[in-house]
Amino acid sequence: MSKNSVSLSEHITKLKSRGRQELSFISWERQNQLIECIAKDISTTIQYQVRNTRFFSIPIDSTFDASRKEQVSFIIRYTCLKSGNVLERLIAMRESPNTCGGDLFNLFKNIMESEGYVWLTDLVGQSYDGASNMRGAYKGLQALIKEENKHATFVWCHAHRLNLTVKQIVSSNSNSADLFGNLETLYSFVWCAKKRVAIFRQFQTTDSSKSHQPLALKRVCTTRWSSHSAALDTVLKTHKCIINTLTTIQTQEGPSDPKVSATCSGL
């Protein structure tokens, strides 16, 4: 980081010249303490603004991270008294192996209490996706919150509904359904073996017409339409390399495995 910061570069230079005589603050423990201090300061500022505004709503969503752990994000939405602008702030990110309505409700209460928000009186809105654990009328998170706070009106996330609508419309056309189905098959076929991934990257590296870094094939996610666009865009940019990769896989693995040869020909 010192390459991008003059003050940090000067600090590192002092450490190199004076050694242990200079306080470093670059150990992992000190860095974590600094990050925690910054986080507390940001959290305190948000709490102060929300207390002045009084009313707030909260969108919650969960997703797998790179290590396949379920991460739940808590966003608070409120209005700035000075400008009247609507503000959205991330207040917490928590790992939750269980995502049923009751577990999410307990996690929600813990976050509200630890961050100092009076959700029983000040929470006026909640917005989630259409999963049953979120919007369920009896045991969903929104229902459990409304049992204790009748003013917390639930709104099904419009972005999620739009994603589902676009996906359903596109899926009704057989050509587009075949296209994105083949993109998912291509991803699974190439990305299931490190050797095939290496072949794909090698063709991109040796392709003189490509100025960008080697790209990775993308999954076609079922809920986010943007993933369809990313998957298709990658294939369009590396189309020649994909054809060469499939031809090479068919040549190397096809003679001993007819199924692999047939898949390569089909794709």
Side-chain angles (χ1 to χ4, degrees):
M1 291 300 296
S2 62
K3 297 178 182 179
N4 306 314
S5 170
V6 176
S7 57
L8 188 56
S9 179
E10 293 176 354
H11 179 59
I12 298 299
T13 301
K14 287 182 181 179
L15 295 179
K16 291 179 179 178
S17 61
R18 300 185 62 181
R20 294 182 179 275
Q21 298 179 7
E22 189 76 20
L23 291 173
S24 69
F25 294 103
I26 61 173
S27 68
W28 67 266
E29 186 176 12
R30 294 292 178 262
Q31 288 185 20
N32 285 348
Q33 288 175 343
L34 287 170
I35 292 172
E36 288 176 4
C37 288
I38 295 172
K40 289 180 180 179
D41 183 62
I42 294 174
S43 180
T44 301
T45 301
I46 296 173
Q47 291 170 22
Y48 175 77
Q49 293 175 344
V50 173
R51 278 197 298 268
N52 287 338
T53 305
R54 181 71 186 279
F55 300 113
F56 67 91
S57 63
I58 184 163
I60 299 175
D61 197 10
S62 63
T63 187
F64 284 114
D65 63 11
S67 62
R68 304 302 294 170
K69 293 180 180 178
E70 186 81 6
Q71 300 285 351
V72 184
S73 60
F74 293 80
I75 308 292
I76 196 165
R77 182 179 171 91
Y78 58 98
T79 306
C80 177
L81 287 180
K82 293 183 178 179
S83 64
N85 295 329
V86 176
L87 304 177
E88 288 187 348
R89 298 288 184 262
L90 175 68
I91 60 172
M93 179 79 76
R94 296 289 187 273
E95 180 186 344
S96 178
N98 300 315
T99 55
C100 66
D103 292 321
L104 290 174
F105 181 54
N106 291 331
L107 186 60
F108 164 79
K109 289 194 296 183
N110 291 336
I111 295 298
M112 291 291 102
E113 292 173 4
S114 63
E115 296 296 322
Y117 297 109
V118 189
W119 68 276
L120 288 173
T121 56
D122 296 350
L123 178 66
V124 295
Q126 42 180 335
S127 177
Y128 322 120
D129 60 26
S132 59
N133 64 332
M134 291 292 198
R135 65 180 288 262
Y138 301 103
K139 296 184 179 180
L141 175 60
Q142 66 91 13
L144 297 175
I145 290 178
K146 289 196 73 173
E147 283 183 5
E148 300 191 30
N149 180 354
K150 302 298 182 181
H151 302 290
T153 303
F154 168 68
V155 177
W156 186 354
C157 172
H158 287 286
H160 183 256
R161 294 171 68 182
L162 178 61
N163 266 313
L164 295 177
T165 302
V166 173
K167 177 181 177 296
Q168 190 66 34
I169 292 173
V170 173
S171 299
S172 64
N173 181 277
S174 59
N175 291 325
S176 61
D178 290 344
L179 168 64
F180 292 114
N182 285 328
L183 290 183
E184 183 68 15
T185 302
L186 175 66
Y187 170 85
S188 302
F189 179 73
V190 174
W191 240 243
C192 70
K194 294 181 180 179
K195 182 179 179 181
R196 297 174 186 176
V197 174
I199 294 173
F200 179 51
R201 288 176 176 165
Q202 182 62 34
F203 276 118
Q204 292 187 75
T205 304
T206 56
D207 189 352
S208 58
S209 64
K210 304 297 181 183
S211 58
H212 54 73
Q213 294 291 325
L215 301 175
L217 295 175
K218 304 293 192 304
R219 291 209 61 167
V220 180
C221 181
T222 57
T223 57
R224 290 173 177 81
W225 175 250
S226 59
S227 66
H228 293 61
S229 175
L232 180 58
D233 191 46
T234 300
V235 170
L236 293 176
K237 288 181 179 179
T238 61
H239 184 264
K240 179 181 177 181
C241 297
I242 290 175
I243 299 298
N244 292 335
T245 299
L246 292 173
T247 302
T248 302
I249 294 173
Q250 187 176 33
T251 302
Q252 295 179 355
E253 303 180 31
S256 60
D257 193 337
K259 184 177 179 180
V260 169
S261 181
T263 303
C264 289
S265 297
L267 289 171

